Amino acid sequence: MAENELSPNEIEYLSWKLMSRALEFIDLDLHLADLHPGGGQYDCLSLITKDSQVFLMLNRNGTSAATNTGSVHDIWENATKNGSRSTIMDAFTELDVDMRDVIEEKADIILTCNRMARWIRHQSKKKGRAICCWIDDTYFVGPSKNLLSQVLIPGLWTTQDPPREETDWSAWIYALTIDEKVIGLVNMKTGDAINPDGTRMSQWYEKKSPLPPKKIKKVESFAEPIENPTEEVIKIYRKVASFNGYNVFGDQLASVASSVAEGWLNSGRLPADIEVIKGALFFEFRRTHHTGQYPEGKDLLYVQALGNAIDEQKAQDRN
C-alpha cells in the first residue's frame, strides 16, 4: 500500500462521515441503503427515496460521489485534506444539488451516522464494517439471513414499516461486523444498537473516543481527526456565548450563516458586518451541538477566521 493510500477501513469510515454531512443539507425524505451497481462491481453507501429512486451514491470501491445530475471524483482524498463538510458542499455545488440547512430536523439520523463512523474507525480496532441487512445486488435481493440469524432481534424491530417499496423491516437494520462476525445490529430508524444477545450495546452510546488524548491529533497517516473537542475550538465558541443568533436573525439564521460559509470557502473573505460574523459563528456552535461534529480541515480554518474577525473588531472598539 502506498504511503498515502487509504485502507478499506478508512474509506468505510469516511463514507459514513460524508453521509452524515450530506444529510445536513438535503431536505428530502431519504433512506440509507447499500447498493452494488455495475453487476456488483461497486459498493455504494447510498441515499434513496421511498420508491427506490437513487439520490446519492458514495462508491467505496472507487472514488466517486454520484447523483442523478452527474458525479465527482477523489472524494476520499478530498475528505482527508479538507474535511467532510467542505467535501460534501463542494460536491453538491458542482453537481447542482439544492442545499438547505436541515440539521435540527435530521439530528437523529445524523447522530446515528456519526456513531457508525466512530464505531468503524475507533471502536472496532480498525477492522469494522457496517453492512445493510437488506441485500440488493445482482444475484440476490432480500433480507440477509446470515447476518440477522446471529442476533436476538427485538420483536418491535420486526413490526416497523419498511423504509421503501419492495423491502421489509430489515432494510432499516445495519450489522456491525468484524471479519464477517456480527458484533451488533443498529436500527437506523430509531438509532438503537443491540448486542448479539439482544441487550443494549452500551459502547454504541459512548460520547468520546476510547483513544487516549495523546493520540487524538493524528492517527497514523490518516488525516481525519477524532471527534473530541479541542480547547481552541471551545475558546472560539465562547466568543459568542452571550450572542443569540436566533434572536438577531430569526428564521434567516441558517441562510445567513450558509452565505457567509460559502463566501469564505470560495474567496477566503468574510463580510464586514460583525453581527453577521457572530451569527455565522453562533450557527457553527449550534451545528456542533446538534451533530457532535467538531470542525475539521477547511471548516476549522473557517471557524478560526470567524473568531479572529471578532477579536479584531473588539480591538478596534477598544481603540
Side-chain angles (χ1 to χ4, degrees), residues 9 119-121 123-129 177-180:
N9 177 265
W119 184 86
I120 289 166
R121 186 65 184 155
Q123 294 178 328
S124 70
K125 299 180 181 179
K126 302 180 184 178
K127 297 180 179 180
R129 284 192 64 204
T177 69
I178 297 179
D179 297 330
E180 300 185 0

Side-chain angles (χ1 to χ4, degrees), residues 216-227:
I216 287 176
K217 291 187 177 180
K218 188 175 182 181
V219 181
E220 298 176 352
S221 61
F222 187 44
E224 186 81 354
I226 300 170
E227 291 173 2

Side-chain angles (χ1 to χ4, degrees), residues 12-241:
E12 178 92 2
Y13 166 78
L14 286 171
S15 70
W16 286 94
K17 288 288 293 179
L18 288 174
M19 188 59 73
S20 74
R21 292 300 194 180
L23 287 165
E24 294 183 13
F25 297 109
I26 303 172
D27 190 17
L28 297 171
D29 186 10
L30 301 169
H31 306 280
L32 286 155
D34 284 347
L35 301 181
H36 304 88
Q41 180 179 357
Y42 305 109
D43 171 28
C44 300
L45 182 60
S46 308
L47 287 174
I48 59 180
T49 64
K50 286 186 176 181
D51 59 354
S52 299
Q53 298 298 308
V54 178
F55 180 86
L56 173 67
M57 293 192 296
L58 304 177
N59 181 21
R60 292 177 289 210
N61 282 350
T63 68
S64 65
T67 67
N68 56 8
T69 59
S71 63
V72 295
H73 297 275
D74 300 325
I75 56 172
W76 314 126
E77 180 181 357
N78 290 338
T80 59
K81 290 180 179 179
N82 303 322
S84 52
R85 182 181 172 219
S86 294
T87 299
I88 280 294
M89 289 184 71
D90 289 345
F92 280 179
T93 299
E94 185 172 343
L95 295 171
D96 198 28
V97 174
D98 183 29
M99 290 186 287
R100 301 183 184 181
D101 283 289
V102 292
I103 300 170
E104 293 191 29
E105 294 90 333
K106 297 194 175 180
D108 291 341
I109 185 62
I110 291 170
L111 175 61
T112 301
C113 288
N114 283 326
R115 283 175 168 169
M116 192 75 83
R118 181 187 61 200
W119 184 86
I120 289 166
R121 186 65 184 155
H122 307 303
Q123 294 178 328
S124 70
K125 299 180 181 179
K126 302 180 184 178
K127 297 180 179 180
R129 284 192 64 204
I131 305 174
C132 186
C133 290
W134 179 268
I135 299 173
D136 190 338
D137 63 23
T138 303
Y139 303 104
F140 178 77
V141 176
S144 173
K145 295 181 180 179
N146 176 49
L147 297 175
L148 295 170
S149 65
Q150 297 183 48
V151 181
L152 183 61
I153 300 169
L156 288 177
W157 284 20
T158 66
T159 65
Q160 294 178 149
D161 291 333
R164 60 190 184 279
E165 296 177 359
E166 301 176 356
T167 66
D168 63 18
W169 62 271
S170 63
W172 287 112
I173 312 304
Y174 269 77
L176 306 177
T177 69
I178 297 179
D179 297 330
E180 300 185 0
K181 179 181 179 181
V182 176
I183 306 302
L185 294 183
V186 177
N187 188 325
M188 300 304 293
K189 184 174 183 179
T190 66
D192 296 324
I194 57 173
N195 295 306
D197 63 1
T199 58
R200 188 173 185 263
M201 189 177 185
S202 58
Q203 183 188 39
W204 175 256
Y205 302 93
E206 292 177 2
K207 293 185 178 181
K208 294 184 178 181
S209 164
L211 295 180
K214 66 180 181 180
K215 293 185 179 179
I216 287 176
K217 291 187 177 180
K218 188 175 182 181
V219 181
E220 298 176 352
S221 61
F222 187 44
E224 186 81 354
I226 300 170
E227 291 173 2
N228 277 343
T230 65
E231 185 62 28
E232 176 191 16
V233 173
I234 292 173
K235 286 181 178 179
I236 294 173
Y237 285 157
R238 285 174 183 158
K239 299 179 191 297
V240 289

Side-chain angles (χ1 to χ4, degrees), residues 244-282:
N244 190 322
Y246 296 123
N247 289 342
V248 176
F249 296 102
D251 294 340
Q252 298 302 310
L253 176 63
S255 60
V256 168
S258 294
S259 176
V260 174
E262 289 181 21
W264 185 87
L265 289 170
N266 291 331
S267 68
R269 297 178 181 177
L270 293 173
D273 190 334
I274 195 64
E275 293 293 288
V276 171
I277 291 175
K278 288 181 178 179
L281 183 57
F282 175 83

